[in-house]
Amino acid sequence: MNVLSDNFAMFREGFLGTVELTALSAVLALVLGTLIAAFRVSPVPALRIFGSAWVTLLRNTPLVLLFLAVTLGLPALGLKGWDSFWLAVMALGCYTSAFICEAIRSGINTVPVGQAEAARSIGMTFSQTLGQIVLPQAARTAIPPIGSLLIALAKNTAIASGFNVTELGSVQKTLNAASGYNIYVIFLWIAICYIIITFTISGLFRLLENRLAVAR
Amino acid sequence: MSEISVTKDAAPAADALVVLSKVNKHFGALHVLQDIDLTIARGEVVVVIGPSGSGKSTLCRTINRLETTDSGSITIDGKPLPQEGRELARLRSDVGMVFQSFNLFAHKTVLENVTLGQVKVRKKARKEAEEKARTLLDRVGVGAQADKYPAQLSGGQQQRVAIARALAMDPKVMLFDEPTSALDPEMINEVLEVMQQLARDGMTMVVVTHEMGFARSAANRVVFMADGRIVEEARPDQFFSNPRSDRAKDFLSKILHH
Ligand SMILES: Nc1ncnc2c1ncn2[C@@H]1O[C@H](COP(=O)(O)OP(=O)(O)O)[C@@H](O)[C@H]1O
Ligand SMILES: [Mg+2]
């Protein structure tokens, strides 16, 4: 009679699916977001244009449309053979990268320009200046909003259930269809699973914030 | 050390280290640098003075291309300043710069501030870099602060660390942009003394400052700027006792009688 114990394997699979989808999309979003932020502050005009086009495009496209574009568009472009999980990682990672980029860029804007000038004046290159001096100081301002963005990402993974990916959203749909269980109880357990994930993310980010605050 | 030639039109001597020729720069409609010709010989100490807004900082910053120029040429040790990229970075590492607002790396300790460029730019081993950093910090009198963060230091100490950071790169020339203007009066001398010592040791220096005492005792030449032009160049004793241009007379009367 208990939804959770009756379907524990399914819940576990869905939970792990959401965790993996969140984690891998987060890694992609952080790497891309940092790279695009670097583009946006680089001295090369072409990179700056590419960066702002990336942000404008992805930030203003509804995520569902992006999923459609990736799942229908990539195969049409000849990129066949990707399974739906990795397509979902692509869509979520690229989408979130646009927001991460902007969080990092606003962090960069809080670093006094004299810091980068001092770095350049001792002969550091653009990437050294960014990596050694600017980004570490930008991180302190950028970390809290990035935490919020990753929590939003965790919840956005539910959209993947509509695209043939096993995660918590798809578990909920399957169980709802299976009937026999109270729909509110299903909902409750699913919600608890999401809360575990989002609380873990916010806990990690609180730790990170404290760590950075101590290391001035 | 006051014997070095001050004639303005001395042809770029064999040991001319920094040569600016016909340098022009605009900020929008503002013509901040107008046909600047300036040659700095190896080992020479040049003090740049002039009213606020006359383009002294901009001049200083064009010498290591923190500001771009519109026309004219700048060479350092015979090499023209590259446009961008690695070449420019390499050349910049030979030109030390000390800022009015210190600009120490806020998230790095004093020791790391002085070590970073040696390791990342000069590719020195960390141990060797730290040894050199400690020697330099001792030399500017802040050896005891090595493990502190910049915010824990007084302004005078921070500026001395900034000088050590620049010296760690073994620069051919040092640029100082009003290095004591952000300091409380009691800290000005500790920084000036370090700079005096540097001048005595033969460092080539371009110093934007209003510290007349420093100019008189350490400078080989005073360059007076107004409205983006070099209006007058002279030996310090000549310039302060007998300025030729009206702009310089006017300026000196304002800063010497207050
Ligand atoms: N980044 C900038 N953009 C626009 N105008 C500037 C900039 N930097 C300086 N200026 C202007 O150029 C003039 C010269 O400035 P500056 O070189 O700082 O003079 P100084 O150091 O002699 O006081 C001033 O009028 C200043 O307002
Ligand atoms: Mg200035």
Side-chain angles (χ1 to χ4, degrees):
Chain A
M1 190 48 229
N2 186 324
V3 193
L4 185 63
S5 51
D6 290 356
N7 302 285
F8 192 75
M10 193 193 288
F11 265 98
R12 194 184 54 196
E13 204 184 334
F15 181 77
L16 290 179
T18 296
V19 169
E20 277 173 34
L21 198 52
T22 305
L24 290 167
S25 308
V27 169
L28 180 62
L30 288 169
V31 171
L32 272 179
T34 310
L35 190 69
I36 302 289
F39 282 9
R40 294 205 68 178
V41 298
S42 92
V44 183
L47 293 181
R48 287 203 300 271
I49 292 170
F50 178 85
S52 59
W54 179 273
V55 169
T56 308
L57 193 70
L58 289 163
R59 208 164 54 154
N60 296 306
T61 308
L63 183 53
V64 182
L65 280 187
L66 199 60
F67 262 95
L68 277 172
V70 168
T71 47
L72 301 176
L74 285 188
L77 286 173
L79 287 167
K80 295 189 170 64
W82 286 52
D83 74 12
S84 49
F85 176 83
W86 286 104
L87 290 174
V89 168
M90 285 273 287
L92 287 162
C94 290
Y95 177 77
T96 309
S97 76
F99 297 88
I100 302 251
C101 164
E102 291 305 273
I104 291 175
R105 204 164 63 98
S106 66
I108 288 175
N109 287 337
T110 65
V111 181
V113 59
Q115 294 285 306
E117 286 186 347
R120 288 196 281 154
S121 79
I122 56 170
M124 291 172 78
T125 59
F126 171 75
S127 48
Q128 287 175 329
T129 300
L130 197 63
Q132 298 287 325
I133 305 302
V134 178
L135 283 181
Q137 295 188 62
R140 224 193 307 179
T141 346
I143 292 279
I146 288 176
S148 307
L149 290 171
L150 295 188
I151 287 171
L153 166 64
K155 296 183 292 184
N156 285 340
T157 56
I159 291 181
S161 66
F163 295 85
N164 215 10
V165 178
T166 306
E167 43 69 72
L168 287 168
S170 65
V171 171
Q172 186 189 11
K173 282 182 191 163
T174 313
L175 290 175
N176 283 351
S179 78
Y181 297 111
N182 184 333
I183 194 164
Y184 297 108
V185 177
I186 300 172
F187 178 80
L188 185 70
W189 283 117
I190 296 287
I192 287 172
C193 288
Y194 275 112
I195 286 173
I196 292 171
I197 294 171
T198 53
F199 271 36
T200 307
I201 296 175
S202 54
L204 284 175
F205 273 79
R206 190 150 320 131
L207 271 176
L208 209 57
E209 263 175 67
N210 292 341
R211 177 77 58 86
L212 284 176
V214 174
R216 41 178 46 249
Chain B
M1 63 171 296
S2 55
E3 305 295 33
I4 291 179
S5 157
V6 295
T7 37
K8 146 177 204 180
D9 42 12
D15 61 349
L17 184 57
V18 179
V19 181
L20 287 83
S21 122
K22 294 264 171 294
V23 170
N24 281 281
K25 167 148 190 93
H26 294 80
F27 281 124
L30 182 68
H31 198 171
V32 261
L33 296 181
Q34 307 185 22
D35 284 326
I36 299 289
D37 285 314
L38 182 64
T39 299
I40 294 149
R42 205 179 300 274
E44 194 183 10
V45 176
V46 173
V47 159
V48 181
I49 70 171
S52 173
S54 56
K56 307 180 298 294
S57 297
T58 308
L59 175 70
C60 225
R61 292 161 58 86
T62 56
I63 295 177
N64 67 355
R65 215 178 155 83
L66 283 179
E67 299 286 355
T68 57
T69 54
D70 299 336
S71 65
S73 77
I74 301 176
T75 61
I76 292 177
D77 214 0
K79 293 190 212 84
L81 276 184
Q83 292 291 308
E84 262 305 329
R86 275 172 199 284
E87 279 301 306
L88 178 60
R90 189 166 311 136
L91 199 127
R92 271 193 188 129
S93 65
D94 290 339
V95 181
M97 174 124 192
V98 174
F99 301 85
Q100 182 173 345
S101 48
F102 330 133
N103 294 349
L104 291 179
F105 305 135
H107 63 309
K108 303 255 180 217
T109 64
V110 163
L111 187 67
E112 288 165 344
N113 263 275
V114 185
T115 314
L116 191 70
Q118 299 184 65
V119 174
K120 298 290 170 192
V121 177
R122 295 278 189 246
K123 312 292 181 199
K124 273 199 204 163
R126 179 161 301 278
K127 189 162 168 293
E128 193 189 337
E130 282 184 2
E131 257 165 42
K132 175 164 188 151
R134 288 192 193 278
T135 309
L136 285 167
L137 288 171
D138 284 339
R139 188 164 135 201
V140 300
V142 286
Q145 321 294 330
D147 298 319
K148 291 191 180 159
Y149 283 90
Q152 295 168 290
L153 269 54
S154 73
Q157 290 172 325
Q158 289 189 54
Q159 195 60 300
R160 285 182 283 153
V161 174
I163 293 173
R165 175 177 68 181
L167 289 176
M169 308 305 293
D170 296 318
K172 292 175 178 166
V173 50
M174 290 274 286
L175 313 171
F176 294 81
D177 187 7
E178 303 207 29
T180 57
S181 297
L183 295 178
D184 292 335
E186 76 270 22
M187 293 171 188
I188 290 178
N189 277 333
E190 64 192 43
V191 171
L192 289 179
E193 272 161 26
V194 169
M195 291 167 59
Q196 299 262 16
Q197 186 57 50
L198 213 52
R200 279 195 291 272
D201 293 346
M203 175 61 75
T204 310
M205 296 162 68
V206 177
V207 185
V208 178
T209 184
H210 292 155
E211 293 296 331
M212 298 307 142
F214 176 83
R216 280 177 190 280
S217 61
N220 304 112
R221 180 163 46 137
V222 171
V223 167
F224 176 72
M225 277 187 83
D227 299 330
R229 289 183 183 280
I230 293 179
V231 176
E232 189 167 339
E233 290 183 72
R235 276 209 328 249
D237 52 342
Q238 284 175 351
F239 178 79
F240 291 116
S241 58
N242 190 18
R244 281 165 293 163
S245 65
D246 290 340
R247 291 299 305 261
K249 283 177 192 157
D250 183 49
F251 176 74
L252 286 174
S253 74
K254 279 178 188 144
I255 62 163
L256 295 179
H257 306 151
H258 70 91

